[in-house]
Amino acid sequence: DTAVSQTPKYLVTQMGNDKSIKCEQNLGHDTMYWYKQDSKKFLKIMFSYNNKELIINETVPNRFSPKSPDKAHLNLHINSLELGDSAVYFCASSLRTSGATDTQYFGPGTRLTVL
Amino acid sequence: AQKVTQAQTEISVVEKEDVTLDCVYETRDTTYYLFWYKQPPSGELVFLIRRNSFDEQNEISGRYSWNFQKSTSSFNFTITASQVVDSAVYFCALSGGNAGGTSYGKLTFGQGTILTVHP
């Protein structure tokens, strides 16, 4: 009965590789997000999707591409991985289209290590 | 742009002490929402509370209480009679509520406060 789930939990890869992180929510929420937490624990939004439509796209390198096959899933694909991409990536979801008013619930995080 | 400042980087207390985590925010939105999240050593982010900008009532939930003061742009969090299980990183966050604004729907997080409760 996990609310927001992410796979994998840990991801270790070499520089230059392409990798994906998957996120699924079973809360029936309309809006999903990706956040990045760096080594100093700072959390910053990357993207948000509402019902499969991109609504927030922060200043993120083009190597990062979110994909939402349906409103319950938001995957993050990263091309040509760099050392600086090492971080914990959190997926989150919130109930309504007007995401500002609703609480965002987070997944367990995916720790990405680029060697 | 909005900003959240948690001035206390780390706090260390002994079990049963009360502890207050400070949070100061900046926003140009007339409507906004404030949150606290807990990140225990296991790494997940756990939602604790949401407060609307038009509701300045303080809130208590068990050993947790929150003091929202719009006049000083602060949303402080107090844990009464702290326990070892309270050890975690605590984040204060802000979301803009003005539709069409640049902060609408985005959670801006503070830097986090590492709380360590010793037995």
Side-chain angles (χ1 to χ4, degrees):
Chain A
D1 58 346
T2 304
V4 183
S5 59
Q6 295 178 228
T7 53
K9 187 165 176 58
Y10 299 97
L11 185 53
V12 181
T13 188
Q14 299 287 330
M15 265 195 325
N17 284 350
D18 303 338
K19 290 292 177 186
S20 292
I21 305 171
K22 294 185 177 181
C23 178
E24 176 182 2
Q25 53 95 3
N26 63 4
L27 298 167
H29 287 174
D30 283 342
T31 308
M32 296 184 72
Y33 311 79
W34 278 108
Y35 286 82
K36 179 180 179 180
Q37 185 174 42
D38 64 22
S39 58
K40 296 183 179 177
K41 298 280 189 183
F42 184 66
L43 277 152
K44 185 168 167 53
I45 190 167
M46 300 172 70
F47 303 102
S48 78
Y49 268 73
N50 174 55
N51 215 354
K52 302 196 299 177
E53 181 184 347
L54 180 67
I55 54 174
I56 293 175
N57 185 351
E58 290 295 277
T59 308
V60 176
N62 291 338
R63 300 181 294 102
F64 290 79
S65 53
K67 288 184 171 53
S68 182
D70 55 62
K71 76 171 192 177
H73 296 84
L74 180 62
N75 304 324
L76 182 65
H77 189 76
I78 315 171
N79 289 328
S80 303
L81 279 155
E82 299 177 357
L83 292 176
D85 297 333
S86 295
V88 180
Y89 293 85
F90 284 97
C91 177
S93 72
S94 65
L95 180 60
R96 294 173 292 178
T97 301
S98 56
T101 63
D102 290 325
T103 299
Q104 294 181 27
Y105 294 93
F106 286 79
T110 295
R111 181 174 294 278
L112 170 65
T113 303
V114 183
L115 302 174
Chain B
Q2 49 189 28
K3 184 179 177 182
V4 176
T5 302
Q6 295 178 251
Q8 305 145 309
T9 306
E10 290 192 53
I11 300 176
S12 183
V13 299
V14 176
E15 215 171 13
K16 297 185 184 176
E17 283 185 31
D18 299 347
V19 58
T20 295
L21 309 181
D22 297 334
C23 173
V24 174
Y25 62 91
E26 296 174 29
T27 180
R28 293 181 180 173
D29 284 14
T30 52
T31 300
Y32 51 90
Y33 302 84
L34 294 159
F35 303 81
W36 277 94
Y37 286 85
K38 174 182 179 181
Q39 187 173 37
S42 49
E44 70 272 26
L45 280 163
V46 179
F47 163 73
L48 295 178
I49 189 171
R50 182 187 79 194
R51 174 60 71 213
N52 305 328
S53 57
F54 44 86
D55 179 5
E56 286 193 70
Q57 279 193 341
N58 292 329
E59 182 156 340
I60 298 174
S61 175
R63 296 183 298 106
Y64 295 171
S65 62
W66 291 270
N67 184 345
F68 176 29
Q69 298 220 341
K70 220 168 171 178
S71 59
T72 55
S73 297
S74 64
F75 186 43
N76 297 337
F77 173 29
T78 297
I79 302 174
T80 303
S82 60
Q83 299 176 1
V84 172
V85 293
D86 295 327
S87 296
V89 182
Y90 290 87
F91 291 96
C92 181
L94 167 67
S95 176
N98 289 6
T102 56
S103 303
Y104 189 70
K106 298 179 190 177
L107 268 182
T108 297
F109 284 86
Q111 307 93 311
T113 296
I114 302 171
L115 174 65
T116 304
V117 182
H118 299 282

